[in-house]
Amino acid sequence: MTFIPLAGAAIVLVLPNNAKLIRWVSAAATVPPLIMSIWLFANFDRNQAGFQFIEKYQWIPSFNISYYMGVDGLSVSMVLLTALLCFLCIFASFGIEKAVKGYFALFLMLDAGMMGVFCALDFFLFFVFWEVMLLPMYFLIGIWGGPRREYAAIKFFLYTLFGSAFMLIAILALYFSTEPHTFDMTVMMAQANKFGTEVLPIWPFKQLGWGFQHAIWMALFIGFAIKIPAFPFHTWLPDAHVEAPTAISVILAGVLLKMGTYGILRINFPMLPAATADLAFWCLGALGAWNIIYGALCAMAQKDLKKLVAYSSVSHMGYVMLGMASFTTQGINGAVLQMFNHGTITGMLFLLVGVIYDRAHHRDIEGFGGIAAIMPVYTGVTALAFFASMGLPGLSGFISEILVLLGTWQKYPILTILGASGVILTAGYLLWTIQRVYLGPPNEKYLKFPEISGREMFTLVPLGVIVIIVGIYPSVVLDMLRASLDQINQIVIPHL
Amino acid sequence: MAAEVELLAVQELVHVGIAARAEEVVAAGAVLAGFIGLPAVLGGSQFGHWLEPVIHGHAEEHGSAAMEWGLMALSVGFASFGALIAYLMYRRESLSPAFFADLAGGFFYRLFDRKWYFDEVYQFLFVNGTLLLAKVLSLFDQYVVDGIVNGAAGVTRFISWLNGVFDAYIIDGIVNAVADVTFWIGNKFRRVQTGNINSYLYGILIAIALAIIIKIRYWS
Amino acid sequence: MDLKNVGSLSFFYPELILSGSVLLIIILDLMVRSKRNLALIALTGSAAALIATLDLYSAQPGWLFHRMIVLDNFSLFFKVVALAAAILCILMSLGSNEIKHVYQGEYYALLLTCALGMFFMASSSNLLMAYLSLELVSLTSYVLTGFLPHNRRSSEAALKYLIYGGVASGTMIYGMSWIFGMTGSLDYSAIQAALGQAGVNKTALFIAFIFIMAGFGYKIVFVPFHMWSPDVYQGAPTPFTAFLSVASNAAGLAIMIRFFFPGVSRMAAGGDWAYTSGVEWPQVLLFLSMITMTIGNLCALNQRNLKRMLAYSGIAHAGYMLMGLAVLTNEGLSAILFYVVVYLIMNVGAFLVVGMIANITGSEDIENYRGLAWRGAVVPAACLAVFLLSLTGLPPFAGFIGKFFLFAAVLEKGGTFIILALVAVMNSVVSLYYYAKVIKTMFLDSPNPEDKTVAAAGDFNITLLLPLTVLTVVFGIYFSPLLRYTTQSLKFFIK
């Protein structure tokens, strides 16, 4: 599943420069992972909490590094999301004209890297895949992006690498703390209680009352927080999203942002439980609530439609952080469900923005008006996406947000209130945007716009269907998550 | 032409005739209706008796017999007086209606003609008043209540604008500042490389001297 | 084993073959017309020496030539590295336009002599031998740097190199004389024994070491003895710059490790090294490593000439390699050796591309690389991108693995060295900027209309480029054989 896209990339590189051929070969390369992920989804044992479908081979014996891949409930949902979004984005990328071969090769490499991150159970392997994603992203944003693409690309690259630097130190520190030295995540999880929690005597750890485990937790958290993106490490996101081409924005928002929270759940929670229990309120809960409100307020101030959706991503990921901090079943399940939902919903949103950008070549909110009269089908789909983002009952966003709020209410009522007010703000800017862009008298400039095309609909319909289905019958996804997440939760709860 | 005029005239007469008949019918009906509510001294209201089982008691109050007779006399007297004046004014034409109409400058005529100005008073007090109240309340709703709502939206928009500026310039500014500072330091260091071989050699000298000094002073 | 002169000759084949090739080239230079043949002779000679070196792995380690040089796995490792660098350099020179106009006979002869000097540097077990071999390498380097005729920059670089190198080696020999005075011997093992006894003035020892470091430091290029390298790297012919950046760096490390580890420290129980008490080695090396990395990376940010930028990046990488030295553990040393091999591949590859592009466009400025990928030179541009990203230390390239091992060694030591790891990691992030700037210029910028198309597809150098690129990627994923090789090479012969 991870390496088929990579093979696809290699094949694409040697193909002749026929754009149509390249596009369809790439699409074909993403189909097997999709099928496999659906198969995984179907055959995954819902009641078992551990890792399934494990592959483990020796890689570098002297350092105890192995090629160790496996999935649990958390990974399966993310893998499914990744496979689906990658498949759809190939079709969304059919509009790329420049250097088609390079684009699709890089895209497939990115696909492989993302799959690898979600399946890796060896820390070294995890880190390698994590970094492997950065390179194609840099090129994809930097070559095929908008006017300020070089700035956005290098900002993304440097910022993420900065976080990864801390992650590397943490990985090595954890490696040396396990007996025997190993990078195997399952072993690290099993030895979680051994990582020292005594207060380190050096500044600034002594002042903060932090032990070794806390220092590692923070180092890892910095790396993940940049990806989530949590305030104040989020400023790469608006630039990267605005400048990236549509399909890349979808991947960025839909998959890459999830890796931060995935990392926290996969690594910080099970391996460093005491530190998680101590630091979760401020670093996850309060920061999450602040993310929600800050992101929503910033979104309201935006004049560029894509930037608005980018900030709304910041806001929605705040719900994930809030849910994780609650350490209740509802909270954590809601958080991961929100991860999945955000992937589909924001994916739709970016695709929709791409549709209108392709026609108008600008994204200025004030410059549009009355699109509903010109492209009614498109407006209908957009309305669906916007309402899902708002958390309208009946659509998937509602389920995850309500679970998160329910879960958090039990522990931190104040944060819940802040989170709930975020819902109002979200509704505010989304409805306002609908009003400015889609309703009202049609703008004469755009009367000639063609309606949404079949290809564009093809990319949107599966996501829309998922949004509705999960909204009505969320057990489809929740069942998968519950066992694994509860197990992760149980590891931390004794330390609270 | 003449036939049509004749036709119209006949229609007029017919209408008047019908109106007159209608009036006669109404008048007859009014007289008959009066019998329903006879005063007690003349035998009591049949209608009231008929309704007694339903109302469980007497439907009306009874005043004294004298009052009843007095009231009867008063109402009949007024009616007769009015009939007499009408007979004199319009049948016999011995009294001139115009004279009465111009009495007190026509004030009374107008008063009675306008039915004591009841319609106008109603119109002014109740109809216009309600409309005014409605207008006031609607303005209140639009500007004050809704104004608060819009004000909240405006405040939120302002805060969000502030937030956006803060995010773009301060948070992002810090990020860019870090990059700029690094670059600036790099530039400063770059200038140490002068290209002049003498300074390179001085560099060796200074480095070694520093190392020796540090060792001798601090590490022995 | 401790052999005298004649007995040692049988273990001396690689050096003999190289010397023979040198003489052959000089003589044939007078006779043959086509100078390419000389290059082929040099190539054959180096290849033969390589085979002889590999053959020596089966020999028993020991002293040769009255304890002047030593034969052990460590020295063999560096001989292999030097020969590999020489072979790559010769191949590069074959395809380079710059070299076409120089005296090719002398060029190849000097190159091989330089490699020969590096052999001695890696295997010297006597202070005098160390000095002599260092001088041999330096002298040949001075000449080769200034080899481009009628090129002011090249001559200026050579002169600066000469003066600087002269001062540095002068300082070094002065320090060596102090050591001789304190211990009474030039031989490493005797020095080690003498230092183990009490009575040696620690301050004097420290000062002597600082002087010696000046000489070694100038070869390995760490701060504050780095100031010659940007000018020299920029002025020298590109194939030689590649050779210099990798091989002399490696040889300098070899000589330093050999002096400071088996030479003046003792192997403590457990396999780690215990330095002579009273001399604060770890602190000095720690400080030097941090400052080298930082200055190298910071100065590279603003560079406009690619060769100069690579010079500064070389300084930074020397800083990273010093990290492995500072921890004084076997893991650190093995990490350094691994990094040397990986660095060889990456750096030579990078300079190869620089040379290729300079061949066609005649300039080495970064501005010149604008939109290279869109001007027809996708393959060199992509390969350069691979090399630069590997130099940054990004997976899945070999550079990441090298840095990873260095970090692992540092973090394993723990304590205050964690600060070193943090500084190193931050430096890697900073270095991304200037490497990415080149990549950006090549891929993200659109070419100016007047830039010529670069038809690099048919170039001879491509055949050299692709294997190097492939190796960079392969070693990023499957590096166990190399790891085993380097660990195995860490066997010193000490008595």
Side-chain angles (χ1 to χ4, degrees), chain B residues 183 186-187 193 195 200 207 215, chain C residues 160 206 224 227 231 280 298 302:
Chain B
F183 220 73
N187 220 0
Q193 192 82 19
Y200 294 179
K215 163 70 176 176
Chain C
K160 283 189 187 167
F206 184 82
M227 309 194 90
D231 301 315
E280 296 84 357
L298 286 178
N302 267 312

Side-chain angles (χ1 to χ4, degrees), chain C residues 300-327:
Chain C
L301 287 174
N302 267 312
Q303 294 306 320
R304 281 191 291 271
N305 182 306
L306 192 54
K307 270 166 82 173
R308 215 176 162 86
M309 193 193 87
L310 283 172
Y312 279 114
S313 102
I315 298 176
H317 283 278
Y320 297 135
M321 287 194 255
L322 267 185
M323 268 201 315
L325 264 185
V327 291

